[in-house]
Every structure is written in structure tokens, then in C-alpha cells.
Amino acid sequence: MSAEQHTISVLALELGLAMSEMKSRLRQKIQTTINDYDPDLSFELIEILGLLSRHDGINQQEIGNRVSKDKSSITYLINNLVKRDLVERVAYQNDRRSKQIFLTLKGKQVVETVYPWALNLYKKAAGDLHEAEISQMLLLVKKMTANLE
């Protein structure tokens, strides 16, 4: 490995660690806020509700892929959301074994309450960064993630 390749590898490692630390801190702060609202809701449940607010009707596999959880974890989390009447499973017309997940009215209300809190934390994390800087970072991180496929 050349010196330049080594430097790129080390920088990519540092970037990964920094992103992990940022997600961990955001998760802690969001969970603290959620606990004040409803101590029985977890960050993972809110993460799924937020995803569904942007992509309502996707299936469990897609949810698992997008939140980086395995099939059994996603099944457990979605069962939990169904029991709380926050989401519902609806069978696809052509394949009854596969289910789409939709927010219920109650789930939408939770998202409408909690989502602004999360957005404010992300705004705080962005600080004085400009839209173009964040867009460039997002593009680069997505490109690095695609390189791992």
C-alpha cells in the first residue's frame, strides 16, 4: 500500500469513527427528549416511524436495510409498533406473504410531535455549515457506502 493509499485509509477510518460518534450523541439526545414525551418509546422505534413518515408503505426488509437492522430485530420492533397502534401491516395484493408497513393516525401524531425535536438537534449539529457543505458531505458518504457494496 502506498503512503497516499494509507493516508486515505486512515482518513476514511477517522471519518467513520466521527460519524459513529455523531450518531451516538444525537441518539442519546433524542432518546432523552423522547423519554420526557413517552418513556416507553425507544430511539429505534422513533427511527422507524421517521422513516415511514418519509416512505410510508415500504416493506419490513426495506426498513431493515435502511436502518441497518437484521430481520429478527425489525420484526420485533415492528411488532412493538403494531401493538402500540403506531403502524399497521398490509398485505400486498399480489403476494400476501409480503407486508407493507404504514403509519396509523396515532403514529403520524407521534411523528408530528417528535420529528421537530429531532430536526432541531440536527440543525444544532449542522451549526454554521452551509447547505452546499452538507450536500457535499452527504454525496461523499453515500459514495463511500456504495464502494462497500
Side-chain angles (χ1 to χ4, degrees), residues 91-140:
Y92 281 96
Q93 280 186 312
N94 359 354
D95 184 0
R96 297 243 173 246
R97 295 169 298 165
S98 188
K99 309 279 192 232
Q100 291 175 280
I101 311 300
F102 290 92
L103 288 171
T104 62
L105 180 60
K106 186 177 175 184
K108 289 176 183 175
Q109 290 169 341
V110 169
V111 169
E112 287 172 9
T113 300
V114 174
Y115 194 65
W117 301 336
L119 282 181
N120 280 335
L121 284 170
Y122 281 95
K123 181 179 177 185
K124 182 178 179 180
D128 62 353
L129 294 173
H130 297 284
E131 184 179 335
E133 292 173 305
I134 295 172
S135 293
Q136 181 65 25
M137 286 188 288
L138 179 60
L139 178 72
L140 295 173

Side-chain angles (χ1 to χ4, degrees), residues 5-98:
Q5 288 172 330
H6 178 73
T7 301
I8 289 171
S9 296
V10 170
L11 286 171
L13 170 65
E14 290 295 324
L15 176 61
L17 293 171
M19 289 184 335
S20 180
E21 182 178 351
M22 182 184 75
K23 182 175 182 178
S24 178
R25 286 184 187 205
L26 282 165
R27 178 188 174 130
Q28 288 170 348
K29 290 185 180 296
I30 290 170
Q31 186 64 59
T32 299
T33 304
I34 292 167
N35 286 344
D36 293 340
Y37 172 71
D38 182 346
D40 292 330
L41 283 175
S42 68
F43 176 83
E44 287 83 4
L45 296 175
I46 294 297
E47 186 175 31
I48 292 170
L49 292 176
L51 174 63
L52 289 171
S53 74
R54 296 183 308 277
H55 305 283
D56 209 18
I58 61 177
N59 65 35
Q60 284 187 208
Q61 179 65 45
E62 183 65 21
I63 292 169
N65 291 343
R66 290 182 183 227
V67 298
S68 301
K69 300 276 184 205
D70 62 48
K71 188 175 181 177
S72 63
S73 296
I74 286 299
T75 299
Y76 172 79
L77 292 167
I78 290 179
N79 285 344
N80 195 325
L81 290 167
V82 168
K83 285 178 194 171
R84 294 165 188 256
D85 190 34
L86 298 174
V87 302
E88 62 182 336
R89 288 184 174 100
V90 176
Y92 281 96
Q93 280 186 312
N94 359 354
D95 184 0
R96 297 243 173 246
R97 295 169 298 165
S98 188

